[in-house]
Amino acid sequence: AQSVTQLDSHVSVSEGTPVLLRCNYSSSYSPSLFWYVQHPNKGLQLLLKYTSAATLVKGINGFEAEFKKSETSFHLTKPSAHMSDAAEYFCVVSEGSGGSNYKLTFGKGTLLTVNP
Amino acid sequence: DTGVSQDPRHKITKRGQNVTFRCDPISEHNRLYWYRQTLGQGPEFLTYFQNEAQLEKSRLLSDRFSAERPKGSFSTLEIQRTEQGDSAMYLCASGSGPYGYTFGSGTRLTVV
């Protein structure tokens, strides 16, 4: 069975400072991993995805994430936060071809607050 | 490609009433998923279709819930005898392979 743990329910940063949102996963198979962002009253938007190619994945809006199999982690980072980054972020795992139906399992989310 | 469409965007219903939501996936996508998201939580998997076949249902999907995808195109999710605990955002997503998922904007259900 697959699962995701987002280690922080709320992260607060100042504008222009680095962002780190932490995620650990559990999977019986080689996982695909995703980060989604959800702005208030908006739909889910894909930030980036890891699909067993390069372990450092670059996404939209300056975000990137590194897949570390030994640590079962997929932390999301950004060098410099912008006010528009304030949103809920979800780490997501899919077990792909070895698992069941490619369904996505979401973490509980991390609320990112960016202070001016 | 017009994305995944969900209708209605909002639904307010009285407890005990039946409601039905519709999802129109991206036309070439053969996979379709329904998720439920409650306040402060991540989306939870409800059910999955590949073409017209419903291949997996979560235990969250009680017998009051039913989903269909006739002809492998649009999908409907019906909730019978709604309860206040059914209040949530219902999300639909479609995909064509293991890595491509597109989510709709969701239907927000409020049961009063």
Side-chain angles (χ1 to χ4, degrees):
Chain A
Q2 58 193 25
S3 66
V4 166
T5 302
Q6 292 185 243
L7 299 169
D8 306 291
S9 59
H10 186 199
V11 170
S12 181
V13 301
S14 297
E15 190 175 20
T17 64
V19 175
L20 170 64
L21 304 183
R22 299 182 296 164
C23 171
N24 288 115
Y25 70 91
S26 173
S27 174
S28 302
Y29 302 94
S30 296
S32 297
L33 292 158
F34 308 79
W35 277 97
Y36 280 84
V37 62
Q38 188 174 39
H39 288 90
N41 299 315
K42 295 289 181 66
L44 287 160
Q45 181 183 19
L46 178 66
L47 276 179
L48 49 81
K49 59 187 176 186
Y50 165 76
T51 58
S52 73
T55 56
L56 182 62
V57 181
K58 294 188 184 298
I60 61 172
N61 300 334
F63 285 94
E64 62 181 38
E66 185 171 9
F67 173 72
K68 292 187 176 181
K69 186 175 181 178
S70 61
E71 299 177 8
T72 60
S73 69
F74 190 58
H75 301 333
L76 181 71
T77 60
K78 183 174 181 178
S80 176
H82 191 272
M83 296 295 292
S84 61
D85 294 328
E88 187 91 28
Y89 291 79
F90 294 99
C91 183
V92 183
V93 64
S94 172
E95 288 189 326
S97 59
S100 57
N101 302 322
Y102 303 108
K103 73 182 181 187
L104 302 179
T105 300
F106 284 74
K108 293 186 182 300
T110 297
L111 179 65
L112 176 64
T113 302
V114 182
N115 303 306
Chain B
D1 179 358
T2 57
V4 177
S5 298
Q6 292 190 245
D7 184 68
R9 293 292 304 273
H10 303 275
K11 178 70 176 179
I12 300 174
T13 191
K14 292 183 178 180
R15 189 174 52 185
Q17 297 294 305
N18 298 346
V19 294
T20 300
F21 310 140
R22 177 180 171 121
C23 171
D24 286 275
I26 293 172
S27 57
E28 60 266 30
H29 285 182
N30 57 357
R31 299 176 186 274
L32 187 146
Y33 305 80
W34 284 99
Y35 287 79
R36 181 174 68 187
Q37 184 177 20
T38 54
L39 201 61
Q41 299 295 317
E44 297 173 295
F45 170 78
L46 291 179
T47 190
Y48 157 71
F49 291 85
Q50 181 156 344
N51 300 312
E52 67 276 10
Q54 188 174 19
L55 297 184
E56 186 171 351
K57 292 169 60 175
S58 164
R59 63 181 181 275
L60 293 174
L61 215 64
S62 75
D63 56 7
R64 296 184 298 106
F65 288 71
S66 63
E68 295 182 341
R69 192 183 182 195
K71 303 178 183 178
S73 56
F74 71 92
S75 177
T76 58
L77 178 67
E78 181 183 16
I79 309 174
Q80 297 182 325
R81 306 180 303 281
T82 52
E83 302 172 355
Q84 286 188 323
D86 298 331
S87 295
M89 176 74 84
Y90 290 84
L91 296 165
C92 177
S94 70
S96 60
Y99 311 129
Y101 304 83
T102 303
F103 280 84
S105 297
T107 293
R108 182 170 296 283
L109 173 66
T110 303
V111 181
V112 298

